[in-house]
Amino acid sequence: MRRLIPLLLLLALPAPAAADRYYDSSLLAWVDAVAQAVAGRLAESGGTAAVVTVAGGRGVTDRKAQRVFAPRLERALTHRGVQLGDGVRVEFVLSVEGAQVWAVGELRGGGLPGPAAVAVPWPVDRELEALLGASSAGTGRATWDLRRLGPAPPGTLDLGLTDLDGDGGHEILLLGVDGVRTLSFRGGDPRPQGLGGPWPLPPASWPRIVAGRIAPAPGGIWRVGTTAGHSLLVDPADGTMEPASGGMPLAQPPDRSGPTTLLAASSNPPLVVVDGRPVRDLVRWPGDSTVEIAVDAHGRLRGKRDGAELRLPAERVGDRLLLLDVDRDGAPELVRTGATAPGEPDRLEVVMLAADGSGVSVLFEAAFDGSITALAAGDLDFDGRVDVVLVEDDGDAAVLWRLERGR
């Protein structure tokens, strides 16, 4: 249904404060308010059955409307005694108007004397932003989409994305001060869901973990290293851990010609040692390991090609780097964080690079209230586009975010 409903038929129903049940999810509360409105209209006509369709309108795609909203609406209607099948045809369009998202529906047939309508608004919050694409949480350009996924465990040190079930979508692997855990997030989920863990790390040489790294190893296993002295191989499917040879793992860009992990000697956090040089992070160019980009001990970008220095921007940056093709143009971009103290406002930047690895221009940037403590990339939602996932921590709470380049 993509036509305007005549205003004379439109009954705008205020969203109930809590419907008749309490929810900690704004999506579920809104869905139940819509179901309550539909059930009320059906009761007026003496009907108990309905056929429901949902489409996207302004600011909401059909795919999101049908995969996120529609199945939850059907369950809420069933809970209220509505039979799904032959009966009144209920057609909804979801759209965003300012700070509210609307479900505008038209009811036809099934004993109704004529078309009837309902319209249920709900305030847009970050959960609805993430689930329905109601608005962008980032400050970058319109072709980029930055969204809050949900809370992250406090004390998260690093993260990775890995396909645990072989379905083509990635799950989230987190390394924290309390151990290793896995989370799942799909487009229809209100927030990341726990899969396994936390699996605690074994006793180490030092009692306190200040920093840690996690990176993929062959065979679906991941390497874990911490400043407490841990050097482990972890199976994210069940949390099995085995000791490994010493080294702090640094994740590298996917490259069939080389490993996805670089082992570095640990130093005073956040420094590690690569080829005798203390750095905060280091990534090598996909397909050409003679080109590398690092954050040196002073927080400045340094690059080399066959040992010769590259010209890179002189400003200081944070401790985490990614090098991958975010915008699908065939060339890798550099994803970097800002140079801020723990808990202080941070920023994320995606920088276009020249063929020799030198910086060209900033494609995207966004500001955060807290520090970015972890950064990784993969594909969470099966769309074939790169998702950059990060953890923001302001000292009181931690949040998972996703950045994706629009079509």
Side-chain angles (χ1 to χ4, degrees), residues 119-302:
V120 182
W122 203 266
V124 172
D125 63 3
R126 285 183 171 178
E127 180 188 358
L128 292 177
E129 286 179 1
L131 288 171
L132 296 176
S135 66
S136 174
T139 58
R141 301 178 184 180
T143 54
W144 296 84
D145 184 25
L146 178 65
R147 298 188 182 279
R148 176 188 176 115
L149 299 186
T156 297
L157 303 172
D158 201 4
L159 71 86
L161 275 73
T162 183
D163 186 2
L164 291 177
D165 50 15
D167 63 356
H170 285 153
E171 284 71 44
I172 302 170
L173 180 63
L174 294 179
L175 170 64
V177 294
D178 61 347
V180 178
R181 54 166 51 81
T182 53
L183 307 175
S184 173
F185 180 82
R186 296 293 182 255
D189 295 337
R191 57 183 59 83
Q193 308 294 319
L195 287 180
W199 298 293
L201 302 179
S205 303
W206 296 276
R208 183 168 177 262
I209 301 174
V210 177
R213 297 275 189 160
I214 189 166
I221 305 302
W222 285 68
R223 289 197 66 113
V224 171
T226 75
T227 53
H230 295 103
S231 184
L232 304 166
L233 293 175
V234 178
D235 186 342
D238 57 12
T240 303
M241 300 185 188
E242 298 179 0
S245 57
M248 186 70 72
L250 304 181
Q252 298 299 296
D255 184 356
R256 294 180 181 178
S257 65
T260 56
T261 302
L262 173 66
L263 288 180
S266 61
S267 181
N268 293 327
L271 298 179
V272 296
V273 178
V274 179
D275 298 333
R277 294 168 294 150
V279 297
R280 296 167 182 256
D281 202 358
L282 185 146
V283 288
R284 288 177 172 154
W285 198 270
D288 187 354
S289 60
T290 67
V291 180
E292 63 180 36
I293 300 175
V295 183
D296 69 14
H298 303 290
R300 299 190 181 280
L301 282 177
R302 293 285 185 265

Side-chain angles (χ1 to χ4, degrees), residues 149 159-163 168-173 185-186 216 222 251-254 322-328 335 375-390 401-405:
L149 299 186
L159 71 86
L161 275 73
T162 183
D163 186 2
H170 285 153
E171 284 71 44
I172 302 170
L173 180 63
F185 180 82
R186 296 293 182 255
W222 285 68
Q252 298 299 296
L322 293 178
L323 188 61
L324 69 164
D325 187 4
V326 182
D327 61 2
R328 308 183 311 282
V335 183
L375 193 63
D379 184 4
L380 293 179
D381 50 7
F382 306 101
D383 63 0
R385 291 180 286 169
V386 173
D387 296 310
V388 175
V389 180
L390 59 97
W401 293 84
R402 183 195 69 182
L403 172 67
E404 186 178 59
R405 176 68 181 264

